[in-house]
Amino acid sequence: MEIIVNDNVEEMGRAAARVVARTLNCKPNAVLGLATGSTPLTLYQELVRLHNEEGLDFSQVTTFNLDEYVGLTRKDAQSYHYFMHENLFKHINIATQNIYIPSGTTDNYEAFCKWYEQRIVECGGIDLQILGIGSDGHIAFNEPSSSLGSRTRIKTLARQTIEDNARFFDSAEAVPVYAITMGVGTILEARQIMLLANGRNKAKAVAEAIEGPVTSMITASALQLHSDVLYVIDRESARELKMLDYYEWVQTKMPDAP
Ligand code: F6R
C-alpha cells in the first residue's frame, strides 16, 4: 500500500496521470479499469493533455468502466457512457471497439453481467483499476453490506449515494435507484489499483478504508487484501488518517529505499 497526499485536485490529477502514463509506457496495450464521478475529472483532463501535448498513445488500450445507471441510455447526459465520451474518449485516440461500459438498457442483465466478466478475462484482465470512493465507503457501486467476493451485477443504490449523486440530476427523485456494477471480487482481481479521493466529505471513508477493519460495511476496506494499491488523495480527504505523519514520512523517504 502506498499513499500520495496532494495539496489540491490538480496536483492529484497530475500524480494519477503519471501512474497511468507509466503503465502505458510499459504496456501500450494495457487494460484500464475506469471510474466516473467528480473525482477522476482532473486525471482525465491531464490524460487528454498528455495525449495532445506529449503523444500519450491510447491506440492499443482497452478500457472497462466500473458501472452504469440502470435505465439510462448512452445518450442520456447523466449516463456514465455520456460522461466517459465527453470527459475522455472523444479527446484521445482510443479505438471504439476497445471501450467497454456496462449497459444500463440491456434486456437481459444476468447474461450481460456474465458476458462483461468474461470479456475482462478474455482481454487479459485489468492491469490498472482506477477507483473513486463514496462517502459511505463504497467502491464502484458496491454499497455497504455488499459481498467482498461479489461479481458484476445489479445493485440497489444506498439512500446516501442517491443524495450524494443528486447534484448531477434535477433532483434526488431523478437519480436511478439501480446500477449495474463490477463486484468487489472483480475489482480485487486487477493487477494494480489506484484509488483517488478528495474533499472533506471523503475523510471518514478514506480513514475507514485504509486503517479500519476489513468489512463489507466499507467495501473500500477490501483493498487492504490487495498487494498493489496506491491511494492518490488530497489533504482534506486525508484529515482523519491516524498514521498520516508516517505516510508522508514514507513519501519523502521512499525514493532513497534500497
Ligand atoms: C463511479 C463510481 C463511484 C464513485 C464514487 C465517488 O464510477 O464507481 O464509486 O467513484 O461514488 O463519486 P465522486 O467522485 O463523484 O465523489
Side-chain angles (χ1 to χ4, degrees):
M1 190 269 287
E2 196 189 332
I3 302 185
I4 301 177
V5 183
N6 302 275
D7 288 328
N8 54 58
V9 283
E10 286 73 29
E11 193 182 302
M12 202 176 104
R14 284 194 294 274
R18 275 196 294 277
V19 175
V20 176
R22 214 180 303 137
T23 302
L24 300 192
N25 288 336
C26 294
K27 188 174 177 187
N29 63 347
V31 177
L32 301 178
L34 300 179
T36 55
S38 319
T39 313
L41 281 174
T42 53
L43 160 64
Y44 295 153
Q45 280 155 15
E46 180 63 7
L47 288 179
V48 171
R49 191 196 68 75
L50 288 175
H51 170 68
N52 289 333
E53 294 175 18
E54 296 179 28
L56 185 63
D57 181 25
F58 291 85
S59 62
Q60 298 178 61
V61 170
T62 298
T63 60
F64 284 89
N65 263 80
L66 287 167
D67 38 25
E68 177 60 285
Y69 289 115
V70 166
L72 299 193
T73 66
R74 291 156 179 260
K75 292 202 172 111
D76 196 307
Q78 268 72 40
S79 77
Y80 288 165
H81 269 85
Y82 189 90
F83 174 100
M84 287 310 303
H85 282 88
E86 285 304 304
N87 291 297
L88 184 65
F89 297 146
K90 78 177 192 190
H91 307 287
I92 59 175
N93 64 334
I94 188 163
T96 313
Q97 69 272 19
N98 291 350
I99 297 173
Y100 295 89
I101 304 177
S103 167
T105 54
T106 172
D107 44 21
N108 187 341
Y109 282 98
E110 209 179 313
F112 182 88
C113 291
K114 273 201 188 121
W115 174 82
Y116 202 70
E117 289 274 335
Q118 199 183 318
R119 274 318 283 156
I120 295 175
V121 173
E122 286 164 359
C123 291
I126 293 172
D127 291 298
L128 173 63
Q129 175 66 60
I130 291 150
L131 297 174
I133 184 170
S135 61
D136 63 1
H138 70 217
I139 45 174
F141 276 134
N142 294 288
E143 299 289 26
S145 80
S146 292
S147 157
L148 301 187
S150 52
R151 316 300 311 188
T152 303
R153 69 213 182 289
I154 289 196
K155 278 298 286 182
T156 306
L157 298 184
R159 288 203 175 95
Q160 178 68 56
T161 302
I162 291 177
E163 265 171 45
D164 287 348
N165 290 2
R167 67 189 193 280
F168 298 113
F169 292 80
D170 292 337
S171 65
E173 289 67 46
V175 182
V177 172
Y178 306 104
I180 176 168
T181 179
M182 276 190 206
V184 181
T186 323
I187 291 167
L188 289 177
E189 279 171 9
R191 290 184 190 90
Q192 189 189 5
I193 295 175
M194 176 165 65
L195 185 145
L196 312 180
N198 67 281
R200 185 74 190 89
N201 64 327
K202 299 292 175 69
K204 187 164 177 283
V206 165
E208 286 178 322
I210 296 175
E211 297 177 336
V214 174
T215 166
S216 62
M217 296 308 288
I218 302 287
T219 53
S221 68
L223 302 180
Q224 292 177 33
L225 301 171
H226 194 283
S227 61
D228 194 352
V229 182
L230 171 65
Y231 296 86
V232 180
I233 61 181
D234 78 340
R235 224 157 265 292
E236 283 296 295
S237 65
R239 267 167 67 159
E240 292 189 28
L241 286 168
K242 291 191 190 77
M243 303 270 289
L244 183 57
D245 276 357
Y246 173 66
Y247 308 137
E248 298 203 278
W249 165 250
V250 171
Q251 232 178 298
T252 59
K253 292 293 160 197
M254 190 75 106
D256 300 327

